[in-house]
Amino acid sequence: MKLWGGRFKGESSKLAEEFNASLGFDKRLYRQDIQGSIVHALMLGRQGIISGEEAEAIREGLSGILRDIEEGKLEIGGGAEDIHSFVETELTKRIGEAGKKLHTGRSRNDQVALDMKMYVREDMDGMAEALSGLLAVLDRLIAGNRKTYMPGFTHLQKAQPTTLSHHMGAYREMFRRDLSRLSDARKRLNECPLGAGAFAGTTFPLDREWTAAELEFDKATENSMDSVSDRDYLLEYMFVLSLTAMHLSRLSEEIIIWNSNEYRFVTVSDAYSTGSSIMPQKKNPDVAELIRGKTGRVYGDLLGLLVTMKGLPLAYNKDMQEDKEAAFDAMDTVHSCVVLMGRMLDTMTFNTERMRESAKLGFTNATDVADYLVGKGVPFRTAHGIVGELVLKCEEKGCALEDLSLEEFRSYCGAIDEDIYDAISLEACVGRRKTKGAPGAEETE
Ligand code: ARG
């Protein structure tokens, strides 16, 4: 049954009807839709727009529908156009005339905006919880690995030694920022659009602030035209999700590199790896690759909706129905990525001996030799040149800087003493980096 049949004489095309329908994907809004409708009906009753008995009958009817859906006794379907039509039609089927009064002073335009905002709000809370779970795993790795040495890279070339704590701490910062962006976006979203009607409000004396407070919004929206046209909150959330996906993707990329046969810094557990159908020896980091891959799709969701919105005149246009599949996809995708990343990290083995060995190779202590010379009064730029020559010498000999004899060192710079060896050991290189944010154990702590 159509909510708007009255004005129409001709049959609508089956194809157009299917094209127009959103029930297939907006049915997941049933709980928010029913909750919003209950509060709307109670407000109509309080304001004397419908009678108290009618409001009560609507509340009971809607609660029954909710219960039946959740208990699997009522299936959402039956050819309804969208979740709003489905719920209203079912209500009238159950309680008769009073059900027909539910939509007084309301449009599906403000209704769908409300439903989506409520859904997004809940999803944001779930996302914050998932991110906190991931942060807890990172915190455990950070706490337990202050002296787990590994090379740090720039240009994917070994640069200076660092620790696993420090490296994981960098991701901690990214996900912490994601959390804070999430709570910012949630605050901005939390204004209730219900009562905006189609776009021009209504002639009925609604109490929009009461409705807003009942539905746990901070206030009612300010402009009824904006209320039904605004999808900023979705775009903002999708951007936050895109950033989180980007962070997850970078971490995945590192896990994939670290798990490679060449690096062997980590071993991803069997639970989060997959084999090959032809090569019996293979164990591939598919979960990490998929997290990296799905990032493109989340960006696509964001970009798709940005483009959908860019040419829309005020106020509501049906184009905006396209927000849902993209937004739901981004939310579902990033949620599972965050959870899986936490579990994969939590069960991953770090091959700390191998990481330590790798940290020592590749002249990662060259900066420390230069810093040592600075300590002996050599200007940094001069020291940089001397160490460059020392590295060349080591490359010829096929040895590390600390393998040079004191005589060899001194033939390049007389300021070098026996204490050079302690100053450029792996422990010293990392331990003496005590500037704020640096990998020294105390600073990491
Ligand atoms: N299914 C629609 C959507 O998601 C609900 C709003 C429909 N409003 C309208 N005037 N056709 O956007």
Side-chain angles (χ1 to χ4, degrees), residues 164-182:
L164 183 58
S165 286
H166 192 235
H167 203 121
M168 289 297 132
Y171 284 100
R172 180 176 191 274
E173 293 309 294
M174 297 178 222
F175 295 121
R176 250 172 19 87
R177 286 195 295 270
D178 291 340
L179 261 184
S180 105
R181 261 185 290 271
L182 207 52

Side-chain angles (χ1 to χ4, degrees), residues 177-242:
R177 286 195 295 270
D178 291 340
L179 261 184
S180 105
R181 261 185 290 271
L182 207 52
S183 88
D184 279 350
R186 195 191 191 290
K187 267 181 235 145
R188 244 183 314 281
L189 160 153
N190 211 29
E191 300 182 0
C192 183
L194 199 65
F199 78 88
T202 170
T203 53
F204 297 102
L206 308 184
D207 186 346
R208 291 194 59 214
E209 292 299 347
W210 187 85
T211 305
E214 279 300 293
L215 291 170
E216 291 174 37
F217 285 91
D218 299 328
K219 64 193 278 281
T221 48
E222 288 295 332
N223 179 294
S224 60
M225 195 173 250
D226 176 60
S227 310
V228 295
S229 313
D230 169 34
R231 294 295 181 270
D232 292 4
Y233 61 97
L234 276 180
L235 291 165
E236 201 176 344
Y237 188 28
M238 285 159 92
F239 173 70
V240 173
L241 292 173
S242 294

Side-chain angles (χ1 to χ4, degrees), residues 22 26 82 84 108-109 112 316 318 320-321 324:
S22 54
D26 68 17
D82 53 29
H84 326 296
R108 279 183 297 165
N109 299 351
V112 75
Y316 179 85
K318 194 63 171 251
M320 288 155 80
Q321 178 167 287
K324 283 170 206 64

